[in-house]
Amino acid sequence: MSAALESLVYSLVPAARQDDRLKRQLVAHCEEILNSHIGQSVEKDIGHLADLIKRHLLQTTPGGSSTLRFTNLLSRLLEQPVLSRKHASLQFLYSLASTPAPTPLSSTFLPSLAPPPPSRLTSKAATPVEPRPSQKGPNGKSKADLLREYRISIGQPHTPEHLILRDTLYLLQGISGKYVRFSVSRDSDQNKELVFVEDPRYYIPAPTRALIHRLAEVGHLYQRVDSFVREREGRVGVGMIEQSLCHHLQTQLTEYYRLIAVLESQMATGSHTDDLGRANGVEDERPREEEAGLTLKRLDVWIEDWRLRMRMMSVCVEGAKDAHGGALVNLIHGYAENGDPFIRKFTNQLLEEVSKPFFATLHKWLFSGELHDPFSEFFVAVDPELAHLQYMQPSSQGVGQLASDGGFAGGDVEDVSEERAGGLQLWEQKYQFQQDMLPAFVGEAFGRKIFSTGKSLNFIRYSCHDSDWVATREKLSNTGGILQYSDIVGLERSIDTAYQIASQRLFDVFFEKYRLLDHLSALKHYLLLGYGDFVEQLMDTLGPSLSRPANALYRHNLTATLESALRSSNAQNDSPDVLRRLDARMLEYSHGEIGWDVFTLEYKIDAPIDTVLDPTAMVEYLKLFNHLWKIKRVESTLNAGWMRIAGGAKTFLQIPELEYDWHQVRLVMAEMIHFIRQLQAYCHLEVIECSWQQLHNFIQKKEGDLDALIENHRAYLDRMVKKVLLLSPKAGKEENLLNQVRDVFTLILQFREATDDLYNYCLSESARRDVEKDAARGVVTRIDGRSDGRYTQESLPGILARVKDYGMSFSERVQVIVLALATHSDLDCRFLGIRLSFSDFYKMRKEQQTRA
Amino acid sequence: MSTREADRISAAEETLNTLFDMSQLLNTGLDKETLATCVSLIESGVNPEALAAVIQELRRESTALKNSRTATNGR
């Protein structure tokens, strides 16, 4: 070895060849250096060393060609079997290269700065070869070192780091270690505290304690997440979204275990080299440990990423405790809006996982109308009572119940619809929209659309018995790709198309398969008296029997009459399906009512049309029919009366003293006819036809879903009811006008009776006079003057008084009605007032009255 | 036997050449002879970093000597 050193000295310092003293001095110095502790930190990894060298080469000669060459050389060198310490040789070369070569130029220019021999130590300290010169120096001890030495001297040294490290790794897994443990008891927040075990042999310094506290946070969070997952695993009836959350958490935890395992193996190698070092007699183990193994501080850096992740997970877990289903997705989505890309990424990943079951449910709902949601996590909830209801109710049951509800009282109607799970109820209540379960990334408008789409499909499938179509649709849509969180735009598109298709189909089903339009027009034609000839026929044939007391009427008679009216009018051309549904019946009657009061036409509706034409709507239709029927009756009565008066005029000529009274009667009757005609025209032309037009327009457009259709039909009906019945919006006074109009009807009927009496009186009077005249001429007629005792001379003033009385009160009533209509809030109703008093007839009369 | 010896020698030469190339690449300033000495030293168990320090030291020594000589010559 010394020979080799000598040759080194000779080759590097040529002067030493002559000077033997110098040579010896140099060799001794070299040996001293070699025996020193320089370069104890051996880089064992040749790859790392190669990296270092390459980096160095890149710095000195940019371009990379030399790096490439070095790589070639290195591979050639590694193939050579000769050298046993290749890394050492490399290290040697690298050390030489990385130390700045003393430039001969600088030394020639600055001779005085050449370091004198005693300054060797300091110059050596400047080189990075020696890692910790200050530690070596006897005076360079830091306070921490002093403290450590003091502790060793009093027999309570710091706990060796590898022991604490092991404990910390345990803590990270939520397990208590030997020196640090979780407390058994819990504090007020149900959290376990960290307790340092007081060991008389060792002492844990405060900074380390703080560090451990920091690290233990991850362990604590881990415990929380882990216990959540475990708890959910064991429980029955955990929602699918929660299950998928658990799954995701579990994968994350597995990832975490992997990290812990890696760290643990790191720690093992660390302590292993430690042992080796000790075996080799290297007394100072600290630097070595820091080089190769794991320290608390390194652990802290390793764990940093996971701390954030654990925090996020723990927050999710906390939220999941009281959120459920869609609300849970919502909660997580709340964290997705974050500026921190790490959190955003994590949350998005989580959301992607967690929302999978949601989207599976959504897919099923959106494309097949089935709600597959065993844990009620979807934002559509099914009403358990209606869930399995297949409603094809026998229609006779509906009739029976309607018959028993005793009139048009609103309260009873609700009872009826409750008892009978009609299409509307099924449509409206089978599924419910749950706002709080709706994930925020869907948005409410889309949520409504989804809700409506699924509902429509479900309805088509189960209520309209068109499941084939839905099945084919589902197959078609399946090719369109799957729904997922990351593709919100695609989701919205699919929702839109699905919504349109479903709504369109539902419309088609309603209008083509179930001929809703036919039914609507049938209702208009029959119940709203759209078919004039039919109504005329019905009135003619039914009129006589309806004048009888209600209890003398029989339903079979009514239906027979209806049948004949249908057959003798244009209505016979309607489709048999429509005619089949038309029925005549009596409302429940009380004592003293006559047929007119209780007769009603009925149109039977069955599923699924009753979704639109629900029982409530049918009651409204009946109400309208009742009113219109009354108007019609009054009109036909007046017509008959007028005909009789006009036709009988020649009879009256024989009683000239009554001429003036008849004139008065004709005036009043003309006024009445005017009133009833205007009212009728108003009802049919201005209200019913206009409303129908609006409804028709909507139907033609075919927009919106079934809800919109129901909405529109309801508006159509409401409009008619409000205007035909002249309802005023004032609370408590809604039916004031209607009652007055009904009073007017009664008056007209009474007036008609009175005029009939007058007419009969005239007939018998003229007959009597004929007999008298015949007797005067000496002809004996067979007519017995005494046969009709009712119409005697004495009864005439009474009859006249009645006629006059009714005529007067009619006029007054109409005047009141016209006045009331003039201030009606509805424009159409106001216009009716104008029509009734078109030439300001009533206004002028009022002015006359006030003047008088 | 002799062929194996020859193989060994040629291999050693090649190794040395490779190392010398590297040394040139890294600009260490060592000649082939010195490099061979150093490698043999390392092979015998000398700490490479310490050896590098030795080389540095000797170089510095030699320059110092040269300087002092030129200084004395100049005087």
Short mmCIF file of all heavy atoms in Angstrom, two decimals, chain A residues 4 7-8 12-13 15 22 26 29-30 34 38-39 66 69-70 73-74 80 84-85 88 91-92 95-97 99 120 129, chain B residues 11 14-15 18-19 21-22 25-26 28 30 34 37-39 42-43 45-49 52 54 56-58 61-62 65 69:
data_model
loop_
_atom_site.label_atom_id
_atom_site.label_comp_id
_atom_site.label_asym_id
_atom_site.label_seq_id
_atom_site.Cartn_x
_atom_site.Cartn_y
_atom_site.Cartn_z
N ALA A 4 2.39 1.80 -3.37
CA ALA A 4 1.45 2.43 -4.28
C ALA A 4 1.33 3.92 -3.98
O ALA A 4 1.31 4.75 -4.90
CB ALA A 4 0.08 1.76 -4.14
N SER A 7 4.30 5.70 -5.37
CA SER A 7 4.25 5.93 -6.81
C SER A 7 3.28 7.06 -7.13
O SER A 7 3.51 7.87 -8.02
CB SER A 7 3.84 4.65 -7.55
OG SER A 7 2.49 4.34 -7.27
N LEU A 8 2.21 7.12 -6.35
CA LEU A 8 1.28 8.23 -6.52
C LEU A 8 1.96 9.56 -6.27
O LEU A 8 1.81 10.51 -7.06
CB LEU A 8 0.13 8.08 -5.52
CG LEU A 8 -1.21 7.54 -6.03
CD1 LEU A 8 -2.24 7.64 -4.93
CD2 LEU A 8 -1.66 8.31 -7.26
N LEU A 12 2.49 12.54 -8.99
CA LEU A 12 1.79 13.82 -8.83
C LEU A 12 2.72 14.95 -8.40
O LEU A 12 2.52 16.10 -8.77
CB LEU A 12 0.65 13.66 -7.82
CG LEU A 12 -0.57 12.94 -8.37
CD1 LEU A 12 -1.55 12.62 -7.26
CD2 LEU A 12 -1.23 13.75 -9.46
N VAL A 13 3.69 14.61 -7.57
CA VAL A 13 4.62 15.65 -7.13
C VAL A 13 6.02 15.24 -7.59
O VAL A 13 6.73 14.53 -6.87
CB VAL A 13 4.58 15.81 -5.60
CG1 VAL A 13 5.35 17.04 -5.18
CG2 VAL A 13 3.16 15.84 -5.10
N ALA A 15 8.69 16.70 -7.75
CA ALA A 15 9.80 17.21 -6.94
C ALA A 15 10.23 16.22 -5.86
O ALA A 15 11.37 16.23 -5.40
CB ALA A 15 9.40 18.53 -6.30
N LEU A 22 10.83 15.19 1.70
CA LEU A 22 9.50 15.65 1.25
C LEU A 22 8.61 14.44 0.94
O LEU A 22 7.43 14.39 1.32
CB LEU A 22 9.66 16.51 0.00
CG LEU A 22 8.36 17.07 -0.59
CD1 LEU A 22 7.68 18.01 0.38
CD2 LEU A 22 8.62 17.76 -1.91
N LEU A 26 5.11 13.52 2.68
CA LEU A 26 3.87 13.46 1.91
C LEU A 26 3.16 12.12 2.10
O LEU A 26 1.93 12.06 2.29
CB LEU A 26 4.14 13.70 0.42
CG LEU A 26 4.36 15.15 0.05
CD1 LEU A 26 4.77 15.29 -1.41
CD2 LEU A 26 3.09 15.96 0.33
N HIS A 29 1.49 11.99 5.33
CA HIS A 29 0.29 12.82 5.31
C HIS A 29 -0.87 12.10 4.61
O HIS A 29 -2.03 12.09 5.08
CB HIS A 29 0.62 14.13 4.61
CG HIS A 29 -0.51 15.08 4.58
ND1 HIS A 29 -1.21 15.42 5.71
CD2 HIS A 29 -1.07 15.77 3.55
CE1 HIS A 29 -2.16 16.26 5.40
NE2 HIS A 29 -2.10 16.50 4.09
N CYS A 30 -0.50 11.44 3.48
CA CYS A 30 -1.53 10.71 2.74
C CYS A 30 -2.14 9.61 3.58
O CYS A 30 -3.36 9.42 3.61
CB CYS A 30 -0.93 10.11 1.47
SG CYS A 30 -0.50 11.34 0.25
N LEU A 34 -6.00 8.98 4.64
CA LEU A 34 -6.72 7.74 4.34
C LEU A 34 -7.31 7.12 5.59
O LEU A 34 -8.38 6.51 5.54
CB LEU A 34 -5.79 6.74 3.64
CG LEU A 34 -5.43 7.07 2.20
CD1 LEU A 34 -4.53 6.00 1.63
CD2 LEU A 34 -6.68 7.20 1.36
N ILE A 38 -12.86 10.57 6.57
CA ILE A 38 -13.40 11.19 5.36
C ILE A 38 -14.16 10.15 4.56
O ILE A 38 -13.68 9.03 4.34
CB ILE A 38 -12.28 11.77 4.51
CG1 ILE A 38 -11.70 13.00 5.21
CG2 ILE A 38 -12.77 12.14 3.12
CD1 ILE A 38 -10.54 13.61 4.49
N GLY A 39 -15.35 10.55 4.13
CA GLY A 39 -16.09 9.68 3.23
C GLY A 39 -16.57 8.39 3.84
O GLY A 39 -16.54 7.34 3.22
N SER A 66 -21.97 13.73 -23.84
CA SER A 66 -21.04 13.13 -22.90
C SER A 66 -21.77 12.19 -21.95
O SER A 66 -21.24 11.15 -21.56
CB SER A 66 -20.32 14.22 -22.12
OG SER A 66 -21.25 15.10 -21.57
N ARG A 69 -22.21 9.01 -23.69
CA ARG A 69 -20.94 8.29 -23.75
C ARG A 69 -20.67 7.64 -22.41
O ARG A 69 -20.26 6.48 -22.33
CB ARG A 69 -19.84 9.29 -24.12
CG ARG A 69 -18.57 8.59 -24.44
CD ARG A 69 -17.78 9.25 -25.54
NE ARG A 69 -16.42 8.73 -25.37
CZ ARG A 69 -15.45 9.46 -24.82
NH1 ARG A 69 -15.68 10.70 -24.45
NH2 ARG A 69 -14.25 8.92 -24.67
N PHE A 70 -20.95 8.41 -21.35
CA PHE A 70 -20.71 7.86 -20.02
C PHE A 70 -21.56 6.61 -19.81
O PHE A 70 -21.08 5.61 -19.25
CB PHE A 70 -21.03 8.91 -18.96
CG PHE A 70 -20.96 8.36 -17.57
CD1 PHE A 70 -19.72 8.13 -16.97
CD2 PHE A 70 -22.10 8.02 -16.88
CE1 PHE A 70 -19.64 7.60 -15.70
CE2 PHE A 70 -22.03 7.49 -15.62
CZ PHE A 70 -20.80 7.28 -15.01
N LEU A 73 -19.93 3.75 -21.48
CA LEU A 73 -18.72 3.31 -20.75
C LEU A 73 -19.11 2.53 -19.51
O LEU A 73 -18.51 1.49 -19.18
CB LEU A 73 -17.89 4.53 -20.37
CG LEU A 73 -17.16 5.21 -21.53
CD1 LEU A 73 -16.50 6.48 -21.05
CD2 LEU A 73 -16.12 4.26 -22.13
N LEU A 74 -20.14 3.06 -18.84
CA LEU A 74 -20.55 2.42 -17.58
C LEU A 74 -21.02 1.00 -17.84
O LEU A 74 -20.63 0.06 -17.12
CB LEU A 74 -21.66 3.24 -16.93
CG LEU A 74 -22.11 2.73 -15.58
CD1 LEU A 74 -20.98 2.86 -14.57
CD2 LEU A 74 -23.34 3.47 -15.08
N GLN A 80 -17.32 -5.94 -17.22
CA GLN A 80 -15.98 -6.46 -16.91
C GLN A 80 -15.99 -7.19 -15.57
O GLN A 80 -16.54 -6.70 -14.59
CB GLN A 80 -14.98 -5.31 -16.84
CG GLN A 80 -14.81 -4.55 -18.13
CD GLN A 80 -14.18 -5.40 -19.22
OE1 GLN A 80 -13.48 -6.39 -18.94
NE2 GLN A 80 -14.43 -5.04 -20.47
N SER A 84 -13.66 -5.63 -8.37
CA SER A 84 -14.63 -6.05 -7.37
C SER A 84 -15.32 -4.84 -6.74
O SER A 84 -16.39 -4.96 -6.19
CB SER A 84 -13.96 -6.90 -6.29
OG SER A 84 -12.98 -6.11 -5.64
N ARG A 85 -14.72 -3.69 -6.83
CA ARG A 85 -15.33 -2.51 -6.20
C ARG A 85 -15.54 -1.42 -7.23
O ARG A 85 -14.97 -0.34 -7.18
CB ARG A 85 -14.42 -1.99 -5.10
CG ARG A 85 -14.15 -3.04 -4.06
CD ARG A 85 -13.50 -2.42 -2.87
NE ARG A 85 -13.45 -3.39 -1.79
CZ ARG A 85 -13.27 -3.04 -0.53
NH1 ARG A 85 -13.13 -1.78 -0.21
NH2 ARG A 85 -13.23 -3.97 0.41
N ALA A 88 -16.83 1.80 -5.93
CA ALA A 88 -15.83 2.59 -5.23
C ALA A 88 -14.98 3.37 -6.23
O ALA A 88 -14.69 4.56 -6.03
CB ALA A 88 -14.95 1.68 -4.38
N GLN A 91 -17.01 6.14 -7.48
CA GLN A 91 -17.12 7.16 -6.44
C GLN A 91 -15.85 8.02 -6.43
O GLN A 91 -15.91 9.25 -6.33
CB GLN A 91 -17.32 6.48 -5.09
CG GLN A 91 -17.27 7.42 -3.90
CD GLN A 91 -18.66 7.81 -3.46
OE1 GLN A 91 -19.51 6.96 -3.28
NE2 GLN A 91 -18.88 9.08 -3.28
N PHE A 92 -14.77 7.35 -6.59
CA PHE A 92 -13.48 8.04 -6.58
C PHE A 92 -13.42 9.04 -7.71
O PHE A 92 -13.10 10.22 -7.52
CB PHE A 92 -12.37 6.98 -6.70
CG PHE A 92 -11.04 7.53 -7.06
CD1 PHE A 92 -10.32 8.32 -6.16
CD2 PHE A 92 -10.48 7.26 -8.31
CE1 PHE A 92 -9.09 8.81 -6.51
CE2 PHE A 92 -9.25 7.76 -8.65
CZ PHE A 92 -8.53 8.55 -7.75
N SER A 95 -15.75 11.91 -7.05
CA SER A 95 -15.27 12.84 -6.03
C SER A 95 -14.23 13.78 -6.64
O SER A 95 -14.26 14.99 -6.40
CB SER A 95 -14.63 12.09 -4.87
OG SER A 95 -15.52 11.14 -4.39
N LEU A 96 -13.38 13.19 -7.46
CA LEU A 96 -12.35 14.03 -8.08
C LEU A 96 -12.99 15.03 -9.02
O LEU A 96 -12.59 16.19 -9.07
CB LEU A 96 -11.38 13.15 -8.86
CG LEU A 96 -10.12 12.74 -8.11
CD1 LEU A 96 -9.21 11.97 -9.05
CD2 LEU A 96 -9.41 13.96 -7.55
N ALA A 97 -13.96 14.55 -9.75
CA ALA A 97 -14.58 15.43 -10.74
C ALA A 97 -15.38 16.54 -10.08
O ALA A 97 -15.38 17.67 -10.53
CB ALA A 97 -15.48 14.61 -11.66
N THR A 99 -15.05 17.89 -7.19
CA THR A 99 -14.30 18.96 -6.51
C THR A 99 -13.68 19.85 -7.58
O THR A 99 -13.12 19.36 -8.55
CB THR A 99 -13.17 18.38 -5.66
OG1 THR A 99 -12.41 17.50 -6.49
CG2 THR A 99 -13.69 17.63 -4.47
N ARG A 120 -4.78 23.40 6.27
CA ARG A 120 -5.34 22.25 5.55
C ARG A 120 -6.73 21.87 6.04
O ARG A 120 -7.63 21.60 5.27
CB ARG A 120 -4.43 21.04 5.72
CG ARG A 120 -3.30 21.00 4.72
CD ARG A 120 -2.35 19.89 5.11
NE ARG A 120 -1.05 20.12 4.50
CZ ARG A 120 0.08 19.68 5.05
NH1 ARG A 120 0.07 19.06 6.21
NH2 ARG A 120 1.23 19.89 4.45
N VAL A 129 -16.99 16.80 0.80
CA VAL A 129 -16.66 15.41 1.09
C VAL A 129 -16.93 15.09 2.55
O VAL A 129 -17.46 14.05 2.90
CB VAL A 129 -15.19 15.14 0.73
CG1 VAL A 129 -14.80 13.73 1.11
CG2 VAL A 129 -14.97 15.39 -0.75
N ALA B 11 -8.52 -8.32 -20.16
CA ALA B 11 -9.72 -7.79 -19.51
C ALA B 11 -9.38 -6.62 -18.61
O ALA B 11 -10.05 -5.57 -18.62
CB ALA B 11 -10.42 -8.90 -18.71
N GLU B 14 -8.65 -3.65 -20.61
CA GLU B 14 -9.87 -3.04 -21.15
C GLU B 14 -10.59 -2.24 -20.07
O GLU B 14 -11.06 -1.12 -20.29
CB GLU B 14 -10.78 -4.15 -21.68
CG GLU B 14 -11.77 -3.62 -22.72
CD GLU B 14 -12.55 -4.76 -23.35
OE1 GLU B 14 -11.93 -5.82 -23.69
OE2 GLU B 14 -13.77 -4.61 -23.48
N THR B 15 -10.66 -2.85 -18.90
CA THR B 15 -11.30 -2.16 -17.78
C THR B 15 -10.61 -0.84 -17.51
O THR B 15 -11.26 0.20 -17.34
CB THR B 15 -11.23 -3.03 -16.52
OG1 THR B 15 -11.70 -4.31 -16.82
CG2 THR B 15 -12.05 -2.42 -15.41
N THR B 18 -11.48 1.66 -20.07
CA THR B 18 -12.83 2.21 -19.84
C THR B 18 -12.80 3.25 -18.74
O THR B 18 -13.34 4.36 -18.88
CB THR B 18 -13.79 1.08 -19.43
OG1 THR B 18 -13.57 -0.03 -20.26
CG2 THR B 18 -15.22 1.54 -19.52
N LEU B 19 -12.15 2.87 -17.66
CA LEU B 19 -12.09 3.79 -16.54
C LEU B 19 -11.36 5.07 -16.92
O LEU B 19 -11.76 6.17 -16.52
CB LEU B 19 -11.37 3.13 -15.36
CG LEU B 19 -12.22 2.22 -14.50
CD1 LEU B 19 -11.38 1.53 -13.46
CD2 LEU B 19 -13.33 3.00 -13.82
N ASP B 21 -11.23 6.37 -19.88
CA ASP B 21 -12.17 7.17 -20.68
C ASP B 21 -13.09 7.97 -19.80
O ASP B 21 -13.34 9.16 -20.02
CB ASP B 21 -12.99 6.25 -21.59
CG ASP B 21 -12.17 5.83 -22.80
OD1 ASP B 21 -11.05 6.38 -22.94
OD2 ASP B 21 -12.63 4.97 -23.57
N MET B 22 -13.61 7.25 -18.80
CA MET B 22 -14.51 7.94 -17.87
C MET B 22 -13.79 9.09 -17.18
O MET B 22 -14.35 10.18 -17.02
CB MET B 22 -14.98 6.95 -16.80
CG MET B 22 -16.12 6.08 -17.27
SD MET B 22 -16.63 5.08 -15.88
CE MET B 22 -17.95 4.18 -16.62
N LEU B 25 -13.56 11.86 -19.38
CA LEU B 25 -14.88 12.47 -19.53
C LEU B 25 -15.19 13.37 -18.35
O LEU B 25 -15.74 14.47 -18.50
CB LEU B 25 -15.92 11.35 -19.62
CG LEU B 25 -17.22 11.67 -20.32
CD1 LEU B 25 -16.94 12.06 -21.76
CD2 LEU B 25 -18.14 10.46 -20.27
N LEU B 26 -14.80 12.89 -17.19
CA LEU B 26 -15.10 13.65 -15.99
C LEU B 26 -14.05 14.71 -15.71
O LEU B 26 -14.14 15.45 -14.73
CB LEU B 26 -15.21 12.71 -14.79
CG LEU B 26 -16.52 11.92 -14.73
CD1 LEU B 26 -16.41 10.80 -13.74
CD2 LEU B 26 -17.66 12.83 -14.36
N THR B 28 -10.87 14.56 -14.73
CA THR B 28 -10.21 14.45 -13.43
C THR B 28 -8.73 14.83 -13.52
O THR B 28 -8.11 15.14 -12.50
CB THR B 28 -10.30 13.01 -12.91
OG1 THR B 28 -9.82 12.14 -13.93
CG2 THR B 28 -11.71 12.64 -12.53
N LEU B 30 -6.24 12.85 -14.39
CA LEU B 30 -5.32 11.77 -14.01
C LEU B 30 -4.75 11.12 -15.26
O LEU B 30 -5.46 10.97 -16.26
CB LEU B 30 -6.08 10.71 -13.21
CG LEU B 30 -6.65 11.11 -11.85
CD1 LEU B 30 -7.55 10.00 -11.33
CD2 LEU B 30 -5.54 11.38 -10.87
N THR B 34 -1.32 6.75 -13.05
CA THR B 34 -1.85 7.15 -11.75
C THR B 34 -3.20 6.48 -11.51
O THR B 34 -3.50 6.00 -10.41
CB THR B 34 -2.04 8.67 -11.70
OG1 THR B 34 -0.97 9.29 -12.37
CG2 THR B 34 -2.16 9.14 -10.28
N THR B 37 -2.78 2.96 -10.48
CA THR B 37 -2.37 2.90 -9.08
C THR B 37 -3.57 3.10 -8.17
O THR B 37 -3.79 2.36 -7.19
CB THR B 37 -1.32 3.99 -8.79
OG1 THR B 37 -0.44 4.10 -9.89
CG2 THR B 37 -0.57 3.66 -7.52
N CYS B 38 -4.36 4.14 -8.48
CA CYS B 38 -5.53 4.47 -7.65
C CYS B 38 -6.51 3.31 -7.61
O CYS B 38 -7.01 2.94 -6.54
CB CYS B 38 -6.23 5.70 -8.20
SG CYS B 38 -5.32 7.19 -7.91
N VAL B 39 -6.75 2.73 -8.80
CA VAL B 39 -7.72 1.65 -8.86
C VAL B 39 -7.23 0.47 -8.03
O VAL B 39 -8.01 -0.14 -7.29
CB VAL B 39 -7.99 1.24 -10.32
CG1 VAL B 39 -8.78 -0.06 -10.38
CG2 VAL B 39 -8.76 2.32 -11.04
N ILE B 42 -7.83 1.23 -4.50
CA ILE B 42 -9.25 1.10 -4.14
C ILE B 42 -9.62 -0.36 -4.02
O ILE B 42 -10.33 -0.78 -3.09
CB ILE B 42 -10.14 1.78 -5.21
CG1 ILE B 42 -10.01 3.30 -5.07
CG2 ILE B 42 -11.59 1.38 -5.06
CD1 ILE B 42 -10.55 4.07 -6.22
N GLU B 43 -9.08 -1.15 -4.98
CA GLU B 43 -9.38 -2.58 -4.94
C GLU B 43 -8.88 -3.20 -3.64
O GLU B 43 -9.47 -4.14 -3.11
CB GLU B 43 -8.72 -3.29 -6.12
CG GLU B 43 -9.45 -3.07 -7.44
CD GLU B 43 -10.84 -3.64 -7.44
OE1 GLU B 43 -10.99 -4.87 -7.37
OE2 GLU B 43 -11.82 -2.85 -7.49
N GLY B 45 -9.02 -1.84 -0.87
CA GLY B 45 -9.89 -1.49 0.25
C GLY B 45 -9.79 -0.07 0.76
O GLY B 45 -10.32 0.25 1.81
N VAL B 46 -9.13 0.76 -0.01
CA VAL B 46 -9.01 2.15 0.44
C VAL B 46 -10.33 2.88 0.16
O VAL B 46 -10.97 2.65 -0.86
CB VAL B 46 -7.84 2.83 -0.29
CG1 VAL B 46 -7.87 4.33 -0.07
CG2 VAL B 46 -6.54 2.24 0.18
N ASN B 47 -10.68 3.72 1.09
CA ASN B 47 -11.90 4.50 0.90
C ASN B 47 -11.71 5.45 -0.28
O ASN B 47 -10.77 6.23 -0.32
CB ASN B 47 -12.18 5.30 2.17
CG ASN B 47 -13.51 5.97 2.12
OD1 ASN B 47 -13.89 6.53 1.10
ND2 ASN B 47 -14.23 5.88 3.22
N PRO B 48 -12.61 5.37 -1.28
CA PRO B 48 -12.41 6.17 -2.50
C PRO B 48 -12.43 7.66 -2.24
O PRO B 48 -11.64 8.39 -2.85
CB PRO B 48 -13.59 5.75 -3.38
CG PRO B 48 -14.58 5.13 -2.48
CD PRO B 48 -13.82 4.53 -1.36
N GLU B 49 -13.29 8.09 -1.34
CA GLU B 49 -13.35 9.55 -1.11
C GLU B 49 -12.08 10.04 -0.45
O GLU B 49 -11.57 11.12 -0.77
CB GLU B 49 -14.56 9.89 -0.26
CG GLU B 49 -15.84 9.83 -1.10
CD GLU B 49 -17.07 10.24 -0.29
OE1 GLU B 49 -16.96 11.23 0.45
OE2 GLU B 49 -18.10 9.57 -0.41
N ALA B 52 -9.53 10.28 -3.05
CA ALA B 52 -9.71 11.50 -3.83
C ALA B 52 -9.12 12.68 -3.09
O ALA B 52 -8.45 13.54 -3.68
CB ALA B 52 -11.20 11.71 -4.09
N VAL B 54 -6.72 12.57 -1.02
CA VAL B 54 -5.26 12.45 -1.10
C VAL B 54 -4.76 13.03 -2.40
O VAL B 54 -3.80 13.83 -2.42
CB VAL B 54 -4.86 10.96 -0.98
CG1 VAL B 54 -3.40 10.78 -1.40
CG2 VAL B 54 -5.07 10.48 0.44
N GLN B 56 -6.13 15.23 -4.31
CA GLN B 56 -6.25 16.68 -4.25
C GLN B 56 -5.09 17.28 -3.48
O GLN B 56 -4.48 18.26 -3.90
CB GLN B 56 -7.55 17.04 -3.50
CG GLN B 56 -8.80 16.48 -4.11
CD GLN B 56 -9.42 17.45 -5.07
OE1 GLN B 56 -9.31 18.64 -4.85
NE2 GLN B 56 -10.01 16.94 -6.13
N GLU B 57 -4.85 16.67 -2.34
CA GLU B 57 -3.85 17.18 -1.41
C GLU B 57 -2.47 17.21 -2.10
O GLU B 57 -1.74 18.20 -2.06
CB GLU B 57 -3.83 16.27 -0.17
CG GLU B 57 -3.18 16.89 1.04
CD GLU B 57 -3.83 18.18 1.45
OE1 GLU B 57 -5.06 18.32 1.25
OE2 GLU B 57 -3.13 19.07 1.95
N LEU B 58 -2.19 16.08 -2.76
CA LEU B 58 -0.88 15.99 -3.40
C LEU B 58 -0.75 17.02 -4.50
O LEU B 58 0.30 17.64 -4.67
CB LEU B 58 -0.68 14.57 -3.96
CG LEU B 58 -0.45 13.50 -2.89
CD1 LEU B 58 -0.36 12.12 -3.55
CD2 LEU B 58 0.82 13.78 -2.11
N GLU B 61 -0.12 20.25 -3.05
CA GLU B 61 1.25 20.26 -2.54
C GLU B 61 2.23 20.58 -3.67
O GLU B 61 3.12 21.43 -3.53
CB GLU B 61 1.56 18.88 -1.94
CG GLU B 61 2.61 18.90 -0.86
CD GLU B 61 2.12 19.61 0.39
OE1 GLU B 61 0.92 19.42 0.74
OE2 GLU B 61 2.89 20.35 0.99
N SER B 62 1.98 19.88 -4.78
CA SER B 62 2.95 20.04 -5.88
C SER B 62 2.91 21.46 -6.43
O SER B 62 3.95 22.08 -6.68
CB SER B 62 2.68 19.00 -6.95
OG SER B 62 2.08 19.56 -8.07
N LEU B 65 4.63 23.67 -4.09
CA LEU B 65 6.09 23.52 -4.22
C LEU B 65 6.58 24.30 -5.43
O LEU B 65 7.55 25.06 -5.36
CB LEU B 65 6.44 22.04 -4.38
CG LEU B 65 6.57 21.26 -3.06
CD1 LEU B 65 6.80 19.79 -3.36
CD2 LEU B 65 7.70 21.82 -2.22
N ARG B 69 9.10 27.36 -5.61
CA ARG B 69 10.35 27.30 -6.37
C ARG B 69 10.47 28.49 -7.30
O ARG B 69 11.47 29.17 -7.34
CB ARG B 69 10.41 25.99 -7.16
CG ARG B 69 11.85 25.64 -7.55
CD ARG B 69 11.91 24.17 -7.97
NE ARG B 69 11.50 23.31 -6.90
CZ ARG B 69 10.98 22.10 -7.11
NH1 ARG B 69 10.76 21.65 -8.31
NH2 ARG B 69 10.65 21.35 -6.09
#
